[in-house]
């Protein structure tokens, strides 16, 4: 099976709704039809940019999918400060990043919360981008495999195989995020192949073959090609290098 690559921008807490529109317009001029056909592209801006991004992408017919960086699992209610999946669906959001290490580490998200979010996102016909990854300490202690495979199993607990297949997983070693120190393509491949194995255990071989697994952590125009050359790496979740339209366009073109 050939899996279509997916390159996603995680803007984190960068770009307001004005600069987001400027980005979308500039970015769209940098790519052509073949780029859009070859790669699925998603941009995950802050919540406050979603509406202006949606109208810009629609009005200018830019074939880039919209993603959110988080959401709550309930549809509505007394949950001050949270955003519901139904609100995201109304804004034509297709992807939701779930369990990013910054949410886990800074905001205390647990595997159980990640699982609830994954199930809620799927129930609302959106695609979760499920983030997993180990800290430097865990890596040095030889605990990478246990940590990452545990996160995958918990994230998909209770999810039907057919629902797992279209999901995206992002392997983001925490020590590589925002540090300029990316995992070697071989190391990333090794862990991502193990993740595919964990998906097979959780949801069967067919789902594991279909699921797209991204690498994230200091992805740049200069290192994307060697990462994408690995058999199990199906794309990238890009932080810093996704903030500038030219850099991100080059990542989408695998460095060209
Ligand atoms: P950087 O690309 O800035 O290292 O961030 C990676 C990341 O956390 C994407 O979700």
């Amino acid at each position: 099976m050939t899996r279509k690559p997916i390159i996603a921008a995680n803007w984190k807490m960068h770009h307001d709704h004005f600069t987001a529109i400027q980005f979308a317009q500039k970015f769209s001029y940098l790519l052509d039809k073949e780029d859009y056909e070859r790669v699925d592209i998603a941009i995950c801006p802050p919540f406050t940019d979603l509406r202006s991004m949606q109208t810009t992408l629609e009005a200018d017919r830019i074939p880039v999918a919209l993603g959110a960086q988080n959401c709550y699992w309930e549809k509505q209610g007394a949950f001050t400060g949270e955003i519901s999946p139904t609100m995201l669906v109304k804004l034509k959001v297709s992807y939701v990043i779930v369990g990013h290490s910054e949410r886990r580490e800074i905001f205390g998200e647990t595997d159980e919360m990640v699982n609830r979010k994954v199930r809620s996102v799927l129930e609302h016909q959106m695609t979760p981008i499920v983030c997993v990854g180990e800290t430097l300490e865990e890596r040095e202690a030889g605990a990478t495999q246990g940590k990452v495979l545990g996160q995958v199993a918990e994230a998909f607990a209770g999810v039907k195989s057919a629902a797992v297949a279209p999901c995206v997983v992002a392997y983001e070693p925490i020590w590589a995020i925002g540090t300029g120190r990316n995992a070697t393509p071989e190391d990333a491949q090794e862990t991502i192949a193990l993740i595919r194995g964990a998906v097979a255990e959780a949801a069967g071989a067919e789902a594991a073959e279909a699921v797209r697994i991204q690498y994230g952590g200091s992805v740049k125009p200069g290192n994307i090609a060697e990462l994408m050359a690995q058999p199990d790496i199906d794309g990238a979740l890009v932080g810093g290098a996704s903030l500038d339209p030219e850099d991100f366009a080059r990542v989408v073109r695998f460095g060209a």
Side-chain angles (χ1 to χ4, degrees), residues 167-247:
C167 289
V168 178
V169 177
Y171 168 55
E172 300 204 309
I174 296 169
W175 48 270
I177 295 176
T179 57
R181 193 183 150 200
N182 63 295
T184 65
E186 295 74 23
D187 278 353
Q189 161 62 30
E190 192 186 325
T191 306
I192 286 176
L194 291 171
I195 290 173
R196 204 175 292 289
V199 174
E201 237 164 76
E206 216 174 297
E209 189 61 25
V211 86
R212 292 185 291 180
I213 310 181
Q214 301 173 311
Y215 167 78
S218 298
V219 172
K220 305 251 163 349
N223 60 24
I224 183 72
E226 54 185 21
L227 289 160
M228 292 307 297
Q230 300 295 325
D232 282 291
I233 302 184
D234 304 316
L237 186 55
V238 190
S242 74
L243 296 174
D244 174 78
E246 300 208 353
D247 284 347

Side-chain angles (χ1 to χ4, degrees), residues 55-235:
T55 50
T56 304
L57 295 174
E58 264 177 29
D60 295 345
R61 303 216 169 117
I62 304 171
V64 167
L66 205 49
Q69 297 174 17
N70 179 32
C71 79
Y72 196 50
W73 54 79
E74 296 286 352
K75 287 189 184 59
Q76 60 180 33
F79 304 106
T80 301
E82 291 297 309
I83 300 289
S84 92
T86 49
M87 294 168 182
L88 298 178
V89 167
K90 280 233 161 114
L91 287 165
K92 310 264 171 65
V93 166
S94 313
Y95 296 93
V96 183
I97 298 173
V98 179
H100 190 280
S101 59
E102 286 149 18
R103 302 246 21 119
R104 294 178 190 258
E105 295 208 317
I106 305 170
F107 302 101
E109 282 192 15
T110 61
D111 282 334
E112 199 222 324
M113 291 161 80
V114 170
N115 177 249
R116 283 184 174 216
K117 291 183 181 197
V118 166
R119 287 187 286 153
S120 178
V121 165
L122 286 167
E123 273 161 27
H124 291 86
Q125 278 76 50
M126 295 182 289
T127 301
I129 299 178
V130 181
C131 299
V132 299
E134 81 286 3
T135 63
L136 186 58
E137 264 178 17
E138 287 161 343
R139 183 172 194 84
E140 284 170 350
T144 298
Q145 190 171 335
K147 167 82 177 288
V148 169
L149 301 194
Q151 286 178 323
V152 172
E154 300 252 5
F156 291 118
V159 180
K160 291 208 172 78
S161 304
V164 172
C167 289
V168 178
V169 177
Y171 168 55
E172 300 204 309
I174 296 169
W175 48 270
I177 295 176
T179 57
R181 193 183 150 200
N182 63 295
T184 65
E186 295 74 23
D187 278 353
Q189 161 62 30
E190 192 186 325
T191 306
I192 286 176
L194 291 171
I195 290 173
R196 204 175 292 289
V199 174
E201 237 164 76
E206 216 174 297
E209 189 61 25
V211 86
R212 292 185 291 180
I213 310 181
Q214 301 173 311
Y215 167 78
S218 298
V219 172
K220 305 251 163 349
N223 60 24
I224 183 72
E226 54 185 21
L227 289 160
M228 292 307 297
Q230 300 295 325
D232 282 291
I233 302 184
D234 304 316

Side-chain angles (χ1 to χ4, degrees), residues 27-59:
F27 179 69
S28 69
Y29 281 106
L30 297 168
L31 297 179
D32 49 38
K33 206 164 150 271
E34 287 89 71
D35 296 318
Y36 293 119
E37 281 166 6
R38 201 170 39 87
V39 180
D40 283 341
I41 306 167
I43 298 180
C44 309
F47 288 129
T48 49
D49 301 359
L50 285 173
R51 178 63 170 157
S52 49
M53 283 291 277
Q54 180 221 346
T55 50
T56 304
L57 295 174
E58 264 177 29

